[in-house]
Amino acid sequence: GEDVEQSLFLSVREGDSSVINCTYTDSSSTYLYWYKQEPGAGLQLLTYIFSNMDMKQDQRLTVLLNKKDKHLSLRIADTQTGDSAIYFCAEFTGTASKLTFGTGTRLQVTL
Amino acid sequence: GAVVSQHPSWVICKSGTSVKIECRSLDFQATTMFWYRQFPKQSLMLMATSNEGSKATYEQGVEKDKFLINHASLTLSTLTVTSAHPEDSSFYICSANRIGAAFQETQYFGPGTRLLVL
């Protein structure tokens, strides 16, 4: 199967860390991505990780991958109001040669 | 780099008319372009994949005669919604892979086109 699941909503206070989780079922995925979508806009690529990696850090973003459990997470350090958006994880599977997107998590950052 | 544009950004049309949406890679050449549809508060659904000079590959359940895709060059793909009906109202987003990129599978997305069919 190619279902990619995310929790619908996350609310954090400005300055705290946010952790957005994603679970997938296709073990043949080769790359996993995190995209950000602001209201009425397209998707902005935030970061990606190879399936043979456990962790990747890019400034305030940390991606953790547990391939055994098919679990991906995105940690945003020092969350700012500008981080409020919908975050999509996506997996690329070589067999299908396409991206499968998660259901999206709406992140709300409060003051 | 890796900027993708779409035109128009929004369009309102009468039922029965056809609407063309353009997707352009502005600062790179694209190996493949993708067309997605997104309903309110939902995820993206891949409609079709297109390569320059060849026919598009449509996902199951997507009518190819309804959603015509033309991939004229390495920087331009168009989606035409033919005989549009209110149920075709949606947010259409294109994306493109970048020729020569380290990771060819990475897709860069356009800003989307909101279509409202009255």
Side-chain angles (χ1 to χ4, degrees), chain A residues 35-106:
Chain A
Y35 284 91
K36 175 184 180 182
Q37 185 180 35
E38 297 189 35
L43 273 68
Q44 174 193 352
L45 175 64
L46 291 177
T47 188
Y48 59 86
I49 188 169
F50 291 120
S51 60
N52 62 357
M53 296 170 65
D54 298 324
M55 184 184 86
K56 180 179 180 182
Q57 187 156 1
D58 185 359
Q59 299 181 332
R60 292 192 296 124
L61 305 179
T62 303
V63 179
L64 295 178
L65 175 61
N66 182 328
K67 197 173 181 181
K68 174 176 172 288
D69 294 338
K70 298 187 184 68
H71 183 264
L72 180 74
S73 68
L74 174 69
R75 179 178 180 270
I76 305 173
D78 187 25
T79 312
Q80 302 298 306
T81 55
D83 295 325
S84 294
I86 300 175
Y87 291 79
F88 291 96
C89 63
E91 60 173 347
F92 178 84
T93 56
T95 49
S97 294
K98 66 178 185 179
L99 281 180
T100 300
F101 283 86
T103 46
T105 299
R106 181 177 297 275

Side-chain angles (χ1 to χ4, degrees), chain B:
Chain B
V3 178
V4 176
S5 72
Q6 284 184 238
H7 178 80
S9 55
W10 60 269
V11 57
I12 302 173
C13 69
K14 291 183 178 179
S15 186
T17 60
S18 294
V19 175
K20 181 187 284 188
I21 303 170
E22 290 187 351
C23 177
R24 293 182 185 271
S25 54
L26 296 184
D27 54 356
F28 67 97
Q29 290 183 322
T31 53
T32 306
M33 287 184 166
F34 305 83
W35 286 97
Y36 293 85
R37 185 173 180 177
Q38 186 181 31
F39 290 103
K41 298 185 179 180
Q42 293 190 24
S43 189
L44 279 73
M45 291 179 56
L46 179 64
M47 298 175 66
T49 303
S50 75
N51 293 286
E52 183 259 343
S54 61
K55 289 184 179 180
T57 302
Y58 290 81
E59 294 297 300
Q60 194 172 8
V62 178
E63 299 175 59
K64 59 182 178 183
D65 295 329
K66 172 79 172 172
F67 299 99
L68 299 178
I69 293 172
N70 182 273
H71 198 144
S73 73
L74 290 174
T75 60
L76 173 64
S77 176
T78 60
L79 169 69
T80 301
V81 183
T82 62
S83 186
H85 290 285
E87 57 266 28
D88 299 323
S89 298
S90 190
F91 193 52
Y92 293 88
I93 307 177
C94 72
S95 69
N97 292 141
R98 181 175 184 173
I99 290 177
F103 310 116
Q104 295 264 331
E105 293 78 7
T106 298
Q107 293 181 27
Y108 297 92
F109 284 79
T113 297
R114 188 163 301 281
L115 170 64
L116 176 61
V117 184
L118 301 177

